[in-house]
Amino acid sequence: MSRRLASITLDNLDDLPSRCRRCVFWELDPVGQARALEAGEASLEKESWVSSVLLQWGSCGKIVYVDGVAAGYVLYAPPQYVPRSVAFPTSPVSADAVLLMNAHILAEFTGGGLGRMLVQGVVKDLSRRGIRAVEAFGDLKADGLSCVTPADYLLAVGFKTVRPHIRYPRLRLEVKTAMSWREDVEVALERLLGSMTPDRPLRLA
């Protein structure tokens, strides 16, 4: 089974699940969202938003592919590009952080570590750009249809609650901490794989 991470561009935007491809919950304010849905232009608005952020800020999402099939994705951007970011009871996002808007893994691919792989891809990208942290609004009552990422998922991949709420806590992941964890894991894996190399000389005490 091959797994590959790719940055979201206009070329692969249609690989998002159809419901997510048409969702502009984060990209537009509530009035703009209602108008786009009523006019049937949500997909065009999504494409316009991605294009604008790519041009003005850079990479704003990742897609994970399993054997060539899109299995999940994540979108992120500075809060000033995300109108919905000011609408939560735990707003605003910290000034030094980028907002993880949403993350989704298709049901048939859950449980395989793809969610952590996506977040690691985001952290790697942000570290290269000198960004200190990524924050997200979690949903403590996520039903699988919400456009807000389940809080349990965020906690499982390393986020910590910085502003509690009965429904929508705000959580934060420090990029430096996440990168250190990732590097430690990679070093451990290299050592493990190295110790299993068949032609490695056997050392006797």
Side-chain angles (χ1 to χ4, degrees):
M1 179 183 295
S2 66
R3 305 195 300 178
R4 177 174 65 90
L5 205 60
S7 295
I8 289 179
T9 66
L10 297 181
D11 295 329
N12 60 17
L13 186 59
D14 285 339
D15 290 346
L16 267 59
S18 58
R19 181 174 67 87
C20 300
R21 176 65 177 84
R22 299 189 303 269
C23 177
V24 286
F25 174 85
W26 291 99
E27 293 84 353
L28 300 176
D29 59 55
V31 174
Q33 179 192 16
R35 288 175 178 168
L37 293 174
E38 184 178 353
E41 297 179 346
S43 293
L44 291 175
E45 291 288 353
K46 185 93 165 188
E47 184 174 321
S48 175
W49 182 88
V50 170
S51 176
S52 176
V53 177
L54 284 172
L55 288 170
Q56 297 179 42
W57 184 66
S59 179
C60 58
K62 301 288 182 184
I63 301 179
V64 61
Y65 294 89
V66 176
D67 293 336
V69 177
Y73 78 98
V74 62
L75 280 174
Y76 55 97
Q80 60 265 34
Y81 291 98
V82 188
R84 186 74 65 159
S85 68
V86 298
F88 286 82
T90 48
S91 298
V93 173
S94 300
D96 64 345
V98 159
L99 175 65
L100 189 150
M101 298 154 59
N102 55 1
H104 180 71
I105 303 294
L106 296 181
E108 58 267 37
F109 293 103
T110 58
L114 298 181
R116 185 174 290 277
M117 183 179 177
L118 281 170
V119 170
Q120 289 173 353
V122 173
V123 166
K124 187 175 182 179
D125 176 39
L126 297 182
S127 70
R128 290 171 175 170
R129 297 156 78 170
I131 295 169
R132 292 183 55 186
V134 55
E135 294 189 355
F137 298 104
D139 188 348
L140 288 171
K141 300 178 182 179
D143 56 6
L145 298 176
S146 172
C147 295
V148 184
T149 306
D152 288 346
Y153 163 79
L154 295 168
L155 291 168
V157 296
F159 281 75
K160 305 294 183 185
T161 302
V162 291
R163 190 170 178 190
H165 186 263
I166 58 173
R167 178 70 188 269
Y168 297 117
R170 178 157 50 89
L171 301 98
R172 180 179 173 97
L173 179 63
E174 300 290 342
V175 167
K176 184 177 180 180
T177 301
M179 284 299 294
S180 298
W181 178 88
R182 180 175 179 272
E183 290 168 358
D184 289 345
V185 170
E186 288 178 346
V187 168
L189 284 173
E190 287 175 3
R191 288 176 177 169
L192 175 62
L193 293 173
S195 69
M196 296 170 66
T197 302
D199 59 358
R200 182 169 179 155
L202 180 63
R203 297 180 64 183
L204 300 177

